[in-house]
């Protein structure tokens, strides 16, 4: 009889909540965060273990990375080859890791952000430290193994790492709702701290910092907030300020040059190129005139960025300017988050070392229990063989008189003599007294005849004596804390001697950089922007001499100060702020610079619809008009922000801004629709709104109609000029419309359908 189907009702939100929590924990534990014991993420652990299993040791030939990645993915890590290869590459990059764990052969990327070659080209093998300190005791049952994803293989749940790798190599990763960022540290210092804490487990974070001075980045640099490090290590969170190292060299002709030989750890990759651009920007914006040339002479031998200076340049002032205005001084955010006891935890320096020391004692305990068990089994067999040598004639007699191996074994273990032919009754009685263990009996039966030679017996007895010493030693290590501590410390000393290196990062205190900037002399200038988005500025005299050409060639002409900011309003409702100091200043016939290069404006995604000076709108209002005829006035002070890009207005779906204007209380507005309707009303009818508001309707539009053009009439001015030129008439759809003859109506009306006149030239 078929079982009836049962439908179980459940709350959808509860199912989603539980599923998301399960997913989040899977990402946190199984992918993004390192384990505090070995300092490795699962993908790193699996890659190293796979290389160990494949026999790709430090003293053997390199193997193709594609082979390593494929084997790891097929056996242990089914999350795609990219994540595995990326992890493999990072473990081989000496500019990212305090101690590289993989020895890469081929193009594994550069400190300047160049990516590694494809995995089919590169080769790799384990580093010696990885084999010695990470994988050495896997055959001694020191860590637990678990099934892989399809339960066809076994993989270690943690590697038997002998050093606090979480500190030595650091970590970074983004999980669901949490992030880890741990700086690298000096191996020798970390080992000294571990040894000190093994000897005295009451040491505080402050005590431990006598050994671990602070982070030690592979790129060197200078940490300049030494006094804040203690709090960072106590809480596991904080910010480390790090500078690049700048040296002064003598150049030709008595000139000096600044040479950057070390960079902040945060600058590696594309940020080196960004730094060069920042230095160039300092020169272009006239923040400094001392730099005459910049060149990146970095190579495989190290970083070397050269700044050529003018004769008599103030090098100290220039250094401070670089630290203040570029990423040559940067901040490394610390969040020492790792998986401890199966759950994510923010750890202090002391806590990390505590977990590591506990792990070391666990590894050593399991290792020597395994060794003790082997030695005791060996001792048992050795004792049996020694006893057998003393009664070898009897054993030979038993062998010759027996019919099977089992019969001989039963006699050796239990003294059973039935069915065995003996030469004498005396031999039978002696055989009945035998009581070898089963392991000893098997060893006796497998023993070769040459072991009966006198010298071989002596060797056997010497081996047994050594075995007894090993047993006593292992028992002492297992039963005595001090003895086990000595073993661990001895191993750490050996690792420090072979793999330790001098500190690279300097630790010191440095005050906040104060730059006395020379105030810029305020000068009146004219901002010019053509319809293609090229901008430049000229002085007023130059503009007056070329006024006709400037007005004809430029879409926007603004009279402002060289300290002003320009607001560029776009059709998607944003405003980009551009400093006049960033705008090229010079000759009238200069082409100018694309505005895309000077601010966040992106000509590929948006179009500018209005350009206004901040000084002109700060104390007035800005009027917005959209394609769907929504209008509003926004106080100009709302756009006075330090941000380079801000929201200027809120738009309805499918709408866009088509006009922005700094209107006065006497201004009138004319909206022209695609359908040929014109509506003229006073701007004063438009209410003031916040920039986050949509606005109000300015004109009633028919189905499918939209606003196409906007005109501004300044009442009380000669000829009632409209924005952009002096004219009463405008060309609209190849027809002439006389703006001054339009009837003034109220806002939110349909307007007047214009009877198109014959085409004529505007007066």
């Amino acid at each position: 009889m078929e079982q009836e189907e049962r439908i179980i009702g459940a709350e959808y939100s509860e199912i989603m909540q539980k599923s998301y929590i399960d997913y989040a924990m899977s990402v946190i534990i199984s992918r993004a965060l390192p384990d505090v014991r070995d300092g490795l993420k699962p993908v790193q652990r699996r890659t190293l273990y796979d290389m160990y299993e494949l026999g790709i040791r430090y003293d053997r030939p390199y193997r193709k990375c594609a082979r390593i990645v494929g084997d790891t993915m097929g056996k242990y890590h089914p999350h795609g080859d990219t994540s595995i290869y990326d992890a493999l590459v990072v473990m081989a990059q000496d500019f990212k890791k305090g101690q590289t764990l993989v020895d890469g052969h081929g193009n594994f990327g550069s400190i300047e952000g160049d990516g590694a070659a494809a995995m089919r080209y590169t080769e790799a093998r384990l580093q010696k430290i990885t084999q010695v300190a990470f994988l050495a005791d896997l055959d001694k049952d020191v860590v637990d193994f678990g099934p892989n994803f399809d339960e066809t293989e076994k993989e270690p749940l943690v590697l038997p790492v002998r050093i606090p790798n979480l500190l030595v190599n650091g970590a970074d990763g983004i999980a669901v709702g949490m992030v880890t960022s741990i700086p690298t540290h000096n191996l020798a210092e970390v080992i000294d701290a571990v040894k000190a804490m093994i000897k005295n487990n009451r040491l505080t974070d402050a005590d431990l910092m006598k050994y671990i001075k602070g982070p030690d980045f592979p790129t060197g640099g200078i940490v300049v907030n030494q006094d804040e490090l203690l709090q960072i290590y106590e809480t596991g969170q904080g910010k480390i300020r790090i500078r690049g190292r700048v040296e002064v060299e003598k150049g030709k002709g008595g000139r000096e040059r600044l040479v950057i030989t070390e960079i902040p750890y945060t600058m590696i990759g594309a940020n080196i190129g960004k730094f060069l651009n920042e230095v160039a920007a300092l020169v272009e914006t006239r923040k400094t005139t001392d730099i005459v040339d910049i060149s990146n002479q970095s190579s495989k031998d190290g970083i070397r960025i050269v700044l050529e200076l003018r004769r008599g340049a103030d090098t100290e002032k220039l250094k401070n300017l670089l630290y203040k205005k570029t990423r040559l001084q940067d901040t490394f955010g610390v969040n020492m988050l790792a998986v401890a006891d199966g759950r994510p935890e923010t750890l202090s320096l002391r806590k990390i070392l505590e977990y590591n020391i506990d792990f070391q004692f666990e590894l050593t305990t399991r290792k020597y229990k395994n060794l003790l068990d082997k030695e005791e089994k060996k001792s048992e067999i050795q004792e049996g063989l020694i006893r057998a040598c003393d009664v070898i004639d009897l054993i030979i007699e038993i062998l010759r008189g027996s019919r099977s191996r089992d019969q001989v074994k039963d006699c050796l273990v239990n003294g059973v003599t039935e069915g065995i032919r003996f030469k004498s009754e005396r031999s039978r009685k002696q055989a009945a007294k035998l009581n070898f263990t089963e392991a000893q009996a098997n060893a006796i039966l497998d023993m070769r005849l040459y072991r009966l030679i006198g010298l071989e017996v002596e060797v056997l007895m010497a081996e047994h004596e050594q075995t007894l010493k090993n047993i006593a030693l292992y028992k002492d290590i297992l039963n005595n804390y001090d003895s086990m501590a000595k073993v661990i410390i001895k191993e750490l000393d050996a690792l420090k001697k072979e793999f330790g290196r001098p500190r690279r990062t300097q630790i010191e205190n440095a005050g906040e950089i104060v730059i006395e900037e020379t105030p810029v002399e305020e000068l009146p200038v004219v901002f010019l922007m053509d319809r293609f988005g090229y901008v430049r500025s000229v002085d007023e005299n130059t503009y007056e001499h070329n006024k006709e050409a400037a007005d004809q060639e430029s879409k926007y002409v603004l009279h402002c100060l060289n300290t002003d900011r320009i607001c560029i309003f776009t059709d998607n409702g944003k405003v980009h702020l551009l400093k006049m100091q960033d705008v090229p200043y010079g000759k009238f016939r200069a082409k100018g610079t694309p505005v895309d290069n000077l601010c966040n404006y992106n000509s590929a995604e948006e179009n500018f619809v209005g350009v206004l000076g901040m000084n002109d709108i700060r104390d007035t209002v800005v009027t917005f008009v959209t394609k769907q005829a929504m209008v509003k006035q926004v106080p100009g002070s709302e756009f006075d922000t330090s941000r380079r890009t801000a929201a200027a207005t809120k738009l309805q779906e499918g709408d866009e801004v088509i006009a922005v204007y700094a209107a006065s209380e006497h201004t009138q507005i004319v909206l022209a629709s695609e359908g040929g309707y014109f509506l003229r009303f006073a701007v004063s009818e438009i209410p003031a709104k916040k920039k986050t508001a949509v606005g109000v309707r300015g004109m009633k539009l028919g189905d499918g109609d939209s606003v196409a053009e906007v005109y501004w009439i300044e009442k009380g001015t000669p000829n009632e000029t409209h924005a952009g030129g002096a004219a009463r008439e405008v060309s609209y759809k190849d027809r002439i419309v006389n703006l001054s003859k339009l009837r003034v109506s109220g806002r939110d009306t349909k307007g007047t359908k214009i009877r198109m006149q014959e085409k004529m030239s505007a007066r």
Side-chain angles (χ1 to χ4, degrees):
M1 181 177 179
E2 293 185 2
Q3 187 176 1
E4 293 184 3
E5 185 180 88
R6 294 178 60 200
I7 299 176
I8 301 174
E11 182 65 32
Y12 181 74
S13 60
E14 293 179 0
I15 294 176
M16 289 299 295
Q17 183 178 11
K18 182 180 183 303
S19 300
Y20 187 76
I21 290 174
D22 291 344
Y23 160 74
M25 290 306 297
S26 174
V27 171
I28 292 167
I29 303 300
S30 302
R31 297 182 72 174
L33 299 186
D35 193 299
V36 69
R37 295 172 293 176
D38 61 6
L40 298 172
K41 298 178 186 179
V43 64
Q44 296 171 324
R45 184 181 304 118
R46 289 164 175 168
T47 303
L48 294 178
Y49 178 66
D50 185 75
M51 294 176 73
Y52 173 81
E53 285 290 284
L54 291 174
I56 312 175
R57 313 299 168 82
Y58 76 94
D59 53 354
R60 295 184 185 177
Y62 295 94
R63 299 283 286 276
K64 284 289 186 184
C65 290
R67 168 66 188 278
I68 299 168
V69 171
D71 202 64
T72 303
M73 182 169 60
K75 288 181 178 178
Y76 309 116
H77 197 75
H79 296 293
D81 57 351
T82 302
S83 63
I84 301 172
Y85 186 52
D86 287 348
L88 181 68
V89 167
V90 170
M91 288 191 289
Q93 292 177 328
D94 58 4
F95 52 86
K96 285 188 178 179
K97 293 295 181 183
Q99 292 284 344
T100 55
L101 305 181
V102 172
D103 180 9
H105 184 239
N107 177 13
F108 274 77
S110 73
I111 194 171
E112 297 183 38
D114 302 315
M119 68 180 81
R120 61 182 179 273
Y121 300 120
T122 55
E123 298 176 332
R125 63 185 178 189
L126 292 172
Q127 288 279 22
K128 186 175 182 180
I129 188 174
T130 314
Q131 192 167 322
V132 172
F134 285 63
L135 301 160
D137 293 327
L138 276 174
D139 58 342
K140 296 182 176 63
D141 190 33
V142 292
V143 294
D144 293 330
F145 280 69
N148 67 341
F149 63 92
D150 60 0
E151 298 187 356
T152 58
E153 302 278 347
K154 293 287 186 180
E155 62 174 318
L157 303 182
V158 63
L159 291 187
V161 179
R162 290 295 183 180
I163 58 176
N165 182 55
L166 189 66
L167 290 175
V168 173
N169 274 327
D172 62 271
I174 300 174
V176 179
M178 54 185 64
V179 61
T180 183
S181 179
I182 303 173
T184 58
H185 293 79
N186 185 272
L187 174 64
E189 292 181 1
V190 171
I191 287 177
D192 288 340
V194 172
K195 289 163 53 181
M197 197 164 174
I198 289 175
K199 297 173 182 177
N200 180 7
N201 62 2
R202 295 182 180 179
L203 294 180
T204 63
D205 289 288
D207 296 328
L208 292 170
M209 287 192 65
K210 295 176 183 177
Y211 305 95
I212 300 177
K213 308 299 182 183
D216 186 26
F217 296 105
T219 55
I222 307 168
V223 171
V224 295
N225 58 334
Q226 184 177 14
D227 289 344
E228 298 175 16
L229 294 182
L230 177 58
Q231 183 180 4
I232 293 173
Y233 283 128
E234 286 178 337
T235 62
Q237 295 178 321
K239 293 181 179 179
I240 295 173
R241 284 189 289 124
I242 181 170
R243 294 177 181 172
R245 188 177 298 279
V246 183
E247 299 176 356
V248 180
E249 292 183 0
K250 295 292 183 182
K252 295 180 180 179
R255 295 181 177 181
E256 292 181 319
R257 63 169 70 102
L258 293 183
V259 181
I260 300 166
T261 57
E262 295 177 5
I263 60 174
Y265 185 69
T266 53
M267 197 194 286
I268 58 177
N271 284 334
I272 293 180
K274 292 179 180 178
F275 165 72
L276 298 176
N277 292 334
E278 289 172 345
V279 176
L282 290 177
V283 177
E284 290 177 2
T285 57
R286 298 179 294 280
K287 292 283 177 40
T288 179
T289 58
D290 289 337
I291 301 175
V292 296
D293 187 38
I294 179 172
S295 60
N296 186 2
Q297 301 175 12
S298 303
S299 65
K300 62 181 181 180
D301 297 324
I303 291 291
R304 183 178 171 84
I305 300 173
V306 180
L307 308 181
E308 298 288 349
L309 308 181
R310 294 185 187 277
R311 186 180 288 107
D314 187 340
T315 56
E316 287 303 316
K317 182 178 179 180
L318 193 53
K319 279 185 189 179
N320 289 337
L321 182 66
L322 293 175
Y323 288 143
K324 185 74 173 179
K325 297 295 185 180
T326 72
R327 60 196 70 206
L328 191 60
Q329 175 173 304
D330 208 350
T331 300
F332 183 94
V334 177
N335 187 28
M336 298 201 291
L337 182 71
V339 177
D341 294 330
R343 53 189 291 272
E345 183 180 348
T346 301
L347 304 165
S348 65
L349 175 63
R350 172 182 165 80
K351 202 70 176 172
I352 291 175
L353 295 182
E354 276 184 351
Y355 276 113
N356 182 261
I357 291 171
D358 290 344
F359 184 54
Q360 297 307 315
F361 274 86
E362 179 187 342
L363 293 177
T364 306
T365 299
R366 292 182 62 162
K367 174 183 177 180
Y368 281 96
K369 278 185 177 179
N370 181 275
L371 292 175
L372 177 62
D373 184 57
K374 288 182 178 179
E375 290 297 303
E376 287 178 337
K377 289 179 179 178
K378 185 193 295 185
S379 175
E380 177 186 350
I381 292 172
Q382 289 170 342
E383 289 175 355
L385 293 177
I386 292 171
R387 283 181 56 199
C389 289
D390 293 337
V391 291
I392 191 64
D393 293 334
L394 176 61
I395 292 174
I396 292 173
E397 190 174 342
I398 294 171
L399 288 169
R400 297 183 67 178
S402 300
R403 298 179 181 178
S404 66
R405 178 187 176 97
D406 290 340
Q407 192 176 27
V408 176
K409 185 177 178 181
D410 196 22
C411 179
L412 294 175
V413 175
N414 302 312
V416 177
T417 59
E418 286 78 5
I420 300 176
R421 299 191 311 275
F422 289 93
K423 293 181 179 180
S424 65
E425 188 62 27
R426 182 170 176 271
S427 296
R428 181 184 296 276
K429 290 180 179 180
Q430 288 178 337
K433 295 178 182 179
L434 295 176
N435 59 349
F436 290 99
T437 65
E438 189 166 340
Q440 291 172 338
N442 286 327
I444 292 170
L445 291 172
D446 295 335
M447 182 176 64
R448 299 189 178 189
L449 290 176
Y450 80 89
R451 298 301 297 270
L452 300 178
I453 301 172
L455 290 177
E456 286 296 322
V457 175
E458 292 179 6
V459 170
L460 178 61
M461 295 181 70
E463 288 178 355
H464 180 55
E465 186 176 345
Q466 183 60 47
T467 300
L468 293 178
K469 289 180 180 179
N470 290 341
I471 290 173
L473 175 63
Y474 297 160
K475 285 183 176 179
D476 178 60
I477 292 173
L478 290 169
N479 297 325
N480 191 320
Y481 175 89
D482 291 337
S483 298
M484 186 174 290
K486 287 180 181 178
V487 171
I488 296 173
I489 290 173
K490 183 178 179 181
E491 292 178 349
L492 291 174
D493 283 334
L495 293 173
K496 176 184 174 181
K497 181 178 180 180
E498 185 169 4
F499 303 109
R501 56 163 178 75
R503 162 174 283 278
R504 296 172 181 170
T505 301
Q506 183 179 334
I507 309 291
E508 64 179 38
N509 281 312
E512 188 68 26
I513 297 173
V514 178
I515 300 177
E516 296 182 2
E517 297 188 22
T518 305
V520 178
E521 182 183 359
E522 287 192 350
L523 296 172
V525 294
V526 180
F527 170 84
L528 304 174
M529 181 175 181
D530 65 19
R531 60 191 181 93
F532 300 108
Y534 281 79
V535 298
R536 65 191 191 280
S537 64
V538 296
D539 62 70
E540 287 192 323
N541 290 334
T542 302
Y543 170 73
E544 291 299 332
H545 289 135
N546 301 274
K547 186 175 186 306
E548 185 176 350
D551 292 344
Q552 185 177 357
E553 296 171 2
S554 304
K555 185 172 184 178
Y556 297 101
V557 178
L558 299 178
H559 292 264
C560 57
L561 296 174
N562 60 345
T563 56
D564 198 2
R565 286 177 296 161
I566 303 299
C567 298
I568 300 174
F569 295 91
T570 59
D571 56 358
N572 59 2
K574 293 181 181 179
V575 57
H576 302 290
L577 276 79
L578 171 63
K579 292 181 180 180
M580 279 301 300
Q581 293 181 19
D582 295 337
V583 177
Y585 175 85
K587 298 179 181 179
F588 175 74
R589 285 301 169 190
K591 185 179 180 181
T593 301
V595 70
D596 304 50
N597 297 348
L598 304 177
C599 64
N600 292 337
Y601 174 76
N602 187 344
S603 58
E605 299 177 356
E606 54 189 347
N607 299 303
F608 48 83
V609 295
V611 177
L612 302 171
M614 178 59 71
N615 286 345
D616 295 333
I617 66 173
R618 185 179 286 109
D619 299 323
T620 181
V621 292
V622 178
T623 306
F624 288 82
V625 183
T626 74
K627 192 174 183 178
Q628 296 178 5
M630 303 303 293
V631 296
K632 70 174 181 179
Q633 295 193 80
V634 180
S637 58
E638 290 203 24
F639 307 111
D640 192 0
T641 174
S642 59
R643 297 173 61 185
R644 298 183 65 187
T645 299
T649 185
K650 184 177 181 180
L651 295 172
Q652 300 179 119
E653 185 176 354
D655 202 2
E656 62 184 51
V657 180
I658 61 171
V660 177
Y661 186 64
S664 68
E665 58 181 359
H666 304 296
T667 306
Q668 291 184 339
I669 184 173
V670 178
L671 304 182
S673 76
E674 290 283 358
Y677 284 88
F678 281 72
L679 176 63
R680 176 181 177 183
F681 61 93
V683 170
S684 57
E685 293 189 39
I686 301 175
K689 298 280 186 179
K690 293 286 186 183
K691 65 179 183 180
T692 53
V694 174
V696 297
R697 190 166 61 182
M699 181 182 189
K700 288 184 179 178
L701 298 172
D703 291 341
D705 202 2
S706 61
V707 177
E709 296 288 346
V710 180
Y711 307 103
W712 311 90
I713 300 175
E714 297 293 347
K715 296 293 291 181
T717 59
N719 299 321
E720 293 187 349
T721 60
H722 71 84
R728 294 182 183 180
E729 298 174 335
V730 295
S731 175
Y732 187 76
K733 296 185 182 294
D734 292 333
R735 295 295 183 268
I736 298 300
V737 177
N738 193 321
L739 298 178
S740 61
K741 291 185 178 181
L742 290 173
R743 180 170 58 87
V744 179
S745 304
R747 181 185 62 80
D748 198 20
T749 58
K750 193 169 185 179
T752 305
K753 181 79 170 181
I754 297 299
R755 182 177 62 84
M756 299 300 183
Q757 303 176 22
E758 289 301 319
K759 184 175 181 182
M760 55 182 288
S761 59
R763 293 197 292 273

